PDB file of all heavy atoms in Angstrom:
ATOM      1  N   ALA A 154     111.022  99.177  91.740  1.00 98.00           N
ATOM      2  CA  ALA A 154     111.143  99.534  93.167  1.00 98.00           C
ATOM      3  C   ALA A 154     110.295 100.756  93.471  1.00 98.00           C
ATOM      4  O   ALA A 154     109.610 100.826  94.515  1.00 98.00           O
ATOM      5  CB  ALA A 154     112.604  99.804  93.509  1.00 98.00           C
ATOM      6  N   GLY A 155     110.340 101.763  92.574  1.00 98.00           N
ATOM      7  CA  GLY A 155     109.520 102.947  92.772  1.00 98.00           C
ATOM      8  C   GLY A 155     108.044 102.649  92.742  1.00 98.00           C
ATOM      9  O   GLY A 155     107.264 103.155  93.572  1.00 98.00           O
ATOM     10  N   LEU A 156     107.616 101.787  91.824  1.00 98.00           N
ATOM     11  CA  LEU A 156     106.216 101.392  91.773  1.00 98.00           C
ATOM     12  C   LEU A 156     105.807 100.629  93.016  1.00 98.00           C
ATOM     13  O   LEU A 156     104.660 100.747  93.490  1.00 98.00           O
ATOM     14  CB  LEU A 156     105.958 100.554  90.520  1.00 98.00           C
ATOM     15  CG  LEU A 156     106.009 101.256  89.182  1.00 98.00           C
ATOM     16  CD1 LEU A 156     105.857 100.266  88.030  1.00 98.00           C
ATOM     17  CD2 LEU A 156     104.935 102.350  89.094  1.00 98.00           C
ATOM     18  N   GLY A 157     106.723  99.840  93.561  1.00 97.00           N
ATOM     19  CA  GLY A 157     106.433  99.126  94.785  1.00 97.00           C
ATOM     20  C   GLY A 157     106.110 100.063  95.925  1.00 97.00           C
ATOM     21  O   GLY A 157     105.167  99.853  96.702  1.00 97.00           O
ATOM     22  N   VAL A 158     106.908 101.124  96.060  1.00 98.00           N
ATOM     23  CA  VAL A 158     106.658 102.116  97.102  1.00 98.00           C
ATOM     24  C   VAL A 158     105.303 102.810  96.864  1.00 98.00           C
ATOM     25  O   VAL A 158     104.506 102.992  97.775  1.00 98.00           O
ATOM     26  CB  VAL A 158     107.795 103.152  97.175  1.00 98.00           C
ATOM     27  CG1 VAL A 158     107.423 104.330  98.060  1.00 98.00           C
ATOM     28  CG2 VAL A 158     109.060 102.491  97.699  1.00 98.00           C
ATOM     29  N   LEU A 159     105.055 103.198  95.594  1.00 97.00           N
ATOM     30  CA  LEU A 159     103.785 103.855  95.271  1.00 97.00           C
ATOM     31  C   LEU A 159     102.581 102.946  95.533  1.00 97.00           C
ATOM     32  O   LEU A 159     101.492 103.441  95.822  1.00 97.00           O
ATOM     33  CB  LEU A 159     103.811 104.334  93.817  1.00 97.00           C
ATOM     34  CG  LEU A 159     104.727 105.511  93.513  1.00 97.00           C
ATOM     35  CD1 LEU A 159     104.808 105.741  92.020  1.00 97.00           C
ATOM     36  CD2 LEU A 159     104.263 106.771  94.209  1.00 97.00           C
ATOM     37  N   SER A 160     102.772 101.653  95.399  1.00 96.00           N
ATOM     38  CA  SER A 160     101.650 100.736  95.628  1.00 96.00           C
ATOM     39  C   SER A 160     101.168 100.804  97.076  1.00 96.00           C
ATOM     40  O   SER A 160      99.985 100.629  97.354  1.00 96.00           O
ATOM     41  CB  SER A 160     102.052  99.292  95.279  1.00 96.00           C
ATOM     42  OG  SER A 160     102.933  98.751  96.254  1.00 96.00           O
ATOM     43  N   GLY A 161     102.080 101.076  97.988  1.00 95.00           N
ATOM     44  CA  GLY A 161     101.724 101.158  99.406  1.00 95.00           C
ATOM     45  C   GLY A 161     101.630 102.564  99.939  1.00 95.00           C
ATOM     46  O   GLY A 161     101.035 102.796 100.990  1.00 95.00           O
ATOM     47  N   MET A 162     102.238 103.518  99.227  1.00 96.00           N
ATOM     48  CA  MET A 162     102.224 104.927  99.631  1.00 96.00           C
ATOM     49  C   MET A 162     101.918 105.780  98.394  1.00 96.00           C
ATOM     50  O   MET A 162     102.825 106.384  97.814  1.00 96.00           O
ATOM     51  CB  MET A 162     103.573 105.332 100.242  1.00 96.00           C
ATOM     52  CG  MET A 162     103.999 104.495 101.421  1.00 96.00           C
ATOM     53  SD  MET A 162     105.664 104.987 101.988  1.00 96.00           S
ATOM     54  CE  MET A 162     105.981 103.693 103.183  1.00 96.00           C
ATOM     55  N   PRO A 163     100.675 105.827  97.959  1.00 94.00           N
ATOM     56  CA  PRO A 163     100.337 106.476  96.688  1.00 94.00           C
ATOM     57  C   PRO A 163     100.734 107.951  96.627  1.00 94.00           C
ATOM     58  O   PRO A 163     100.954 108.475  95.537  1.00 94.00           O
ATOM     59  CB  PRO A 163      98.824 106.331  96.602  1.00 94.00           C
ATOM     60  CG  PRO A 163      98.467 105.213  97.532  1.00 94.00           C
ATOM     61  CD  PRO A 163      99.497 105.250  98.606  1.00 94.00           C
ATOM     62  N   TYR A 164     100.836 108.613  97.757  1.00 94.00           N
ATOM     63  CA  TYR A 164     101.138 110.043  97.763  1.00 94.00           C
ATOM     64  C   TYR A 164     102.624 110.322  98.011  1.00 94.00           C
ATOM     65  O   TYR A 164     103.012 111.443  98.291  1.00 94.00           O
ATOM     66  CB  TYR A 164     100.281 110.754  98.834  1.00 94.00           C
ATOM     67  CG  TYR A 164      98.813 110.638  98.542  1.00 94.00           C
ATOM     68  CD1 TYR A 164      98.033 109.704  99.237  1.00 94.00           C
ATOM     69  CD2 TYR A 164      98.205 111.442  97.569  1.00 94.00           C
ATOM     70  CE1 TYR A 164      96.668 109.588  98.951  1.00 94.00           C
ATOM     71  CE2 TYR A 164      96.844 111.312  97.288  1.00 94.00           C
ATOM     72  CZ  TYR A 164      96.090 110.385  97.994  1.00 94.00           C
ATOM     73  OH  TYR A 164      94.756 110.272  97.701  1.00 94.00           O
ATOM     74  N   ALA A 165     103.456 109.289  97.868  1.00 96.00           N
ATOM     75  CA  ALA A 165     104.892 109.476  98.057  1.00 96.00           C
ATOM     76  C   ALA A 165     105.394 110.550  97.103  1.00 96.00           C
ATOM     77  O   ALA A 165     105.075 110.550  95.901  1.00 96.00           O
ATOM     78  CB  ALA A 165     105.613 108.147  97.807  1.00 96.00           C
ATOM     79  N   ASN A 166     106.203 111.446  97.629  1.00 97.00           N
ATOM     80  CA  ASN A 166     106.730 112.567  96.841  1.00 97.00           C
ATOM     81  C   ASN A 166     108.165 112.818  97.271  1.00 97.00           C
ATOM     82  O   ASN A 166     108.405 113.334  98.360  1.00 97.00           O
ATOM     83  CB  ASN A 166     105.868 113.794  97.042  1.00 97.00           C
ATOM     84  CG  ASN A 166     106.364 114.975  96.228  1.00 97.00           C
ATOM     85  OD1 ASN A 166     107.031 114.802  95.215  1.00 97.00           O
ATOM     86  ND2 ASN A 166     106.034 116.192  96.664  1.00 97.00           N
ATOM     87  N   GLY A 167     109.117 112.411  96.461  1.00 98.00           N
ATOM     88  CA  GLY A 167     110.522 112.578  96.827  1.00 98.00           C
ATOM     89  C   GLY A 167     111.369 111.584  96.085  1.00 98.00           C
ATOM     90  O   GLY A 167     111.220 111.372  94.898  1.00 98.00           O
ATOM     91  N   ILE A 168     112.240 110.898  96.825  1.00 98.00           N
ATOM     92  CA  ILE A 168     113.150 109.935  96.221  1.00 98.00           C
ATOM     93  C   ILE A 168     113.067 108.592  96.944  1.00 98.00           C
ATOM     94  O   ILE A 168     113.064 108.504  98.160  1.00 98.00           O
ATOM     95  CB  ILE A 168     114.601 110.444  96.226  1.00 98.00           C
ATOM     96  CG1 ILE A 168     115.569 109.441  95.609  1.00 98.00           C
ATOM     97  CG2 ILE A 168     115.040 110.854  97.639  1.00 98.00           C
ATOM     98  CD1 ILE A 168     116.960 109.962  95.385  1.00 98.00           C
ATOM     99  N   VAL A 169     112.971 107.546  96.141  1.00 98.00           N
ATOM    100  CA  VAL A 169     113.038 106.161  96.639  1.00 98.00           C
ATOM    101  C   VAL A 169     114.475 105.671  96.482  1.00 98.00           C
ATOM    102  O   VAL A 169     115.103 105.860  95.438  1.00 98.00           O
ATOM    103  CB  VAL A 169     112.078 105.233  95.850  1.00 98.00           C
ATOM    104  CG1 VAL A 169     112.302 103.767  96.245  1.00 98.00           C
ATOM    105  CG2 VAL A 169     110.639 105.634  96.057  1.00 98.00           C
ATOM    106  N   GLY A 170     114.981 105.064  97.533  1.00 98.00           N
ATOM    107  CA  GLY A 170     116.290 104.403  97.469  1.00 98.00           C
ATOM    108  C   GLY A 170     116.117 102.928  97.787  1.00 98.00           C
ATOM    109  O   GLY A 170     115.630 102.590  98.858  1.00 98.00           O
ATOM    110  N   ASP A 171     116.495 102.071  96.856  1.00 98.00           N
ATOM    111  CA  ASP A 171     116.400 100.615  97.058  1.00 98.00           C
ATOM    112  C   ASP A 171     117.818 100.047  97.041  1.00 98.00           C
ATOM    113  O   ASP A 171     118.443  99.945  96.005  1.00 98.00           O
ATOM    114  CB  ASP A 171     115.560  99.992  95.951  1.00 98.00           C
ATOM    115  CG  ASP A 171     115.404  98.482  96.124  1.00 98.00           C
ATOM    116  OD1 ASP A 171     115.887  97.936  97.136  1.00 98.00           O
ATOM    117  OD2 ASP A 171     114.777  97.843  95.258  1.00 98.00           O
ATOM    118  N   LEU A 172     118.298  99.697  98.224  1.00 97.00           N
ATOM    119  CA  LEU A 172     119.655  99.160  98.368  1.00 97.00           C
ATOM    120  C   LEU A 172     119.606  97.642  98.375  1.00 97.00           C
ATOM    121  O   LEU A 172     119.093  97.026  99.308  1.00 97.00           O
ATOM    122  CB  LEU A 172     120.312  99.672  99.649  1.00 97.00           C
ATOM    123  CG  LEU A 172     121.748  99.179  99.879  1.00 97.00           C
ATOM    124  CD1 LEU A 172     122.691  99.709  98.796  1.00 97.00           C
ATOM    125  CD2 LEU A 172     122.236  99.605 101.272  1.00 97.00           C
ATOM    126  N   GLY A 173     120.131  97.040  97.328  1.00 94.00           N
ATOM    127  CA  GLY A 173     120.217  95.586  97.243  1.00 94.00           C
ATOM    128  C   GLY A 173     121.626  95.112  97.518  1.00 94.00           C
ATOM    129  O   GLY A 173     122.501  95.882  97.911  1.00 94.00           O
ATOM    130  N   GLY A 174     121.854  93.855  97.256  1.00 92.00           N
ATOM    131  CA  GLY A 174     123.182  93.302  97.452  1.00 92.00           C
ATOM    132  C   GLY A 174     124.180  93.771  96.410  1.00 92.00           C
ATOM    133  O   GLY A 174     125.364  93.920  96.714  1.00 92.00           O
ATOM    134  N   GLY A 175     123.691  94.015  95.169  1.00 92.00           N
ATOM    135  CA  GLY A 175     124.611  94.360  94.076  1.00 92.00           C
ATOM    136  C   GLY A 175     124.468  95.739  93.550  1.00 92.00           C
ATOM    137  O   GLY A 175     125.341  96.215  92.811  1.00 92.00           O
TER     138      GLY A 175
END
Side-chain angles (χ1 to χ4, degrees):
L156 289 175
V158 170
L159 289 172
S160 73
M162 302 176 188
Y164 298 101
N166 181 24
I168 180 171
V169 172
D171 182 3
L172 181 63

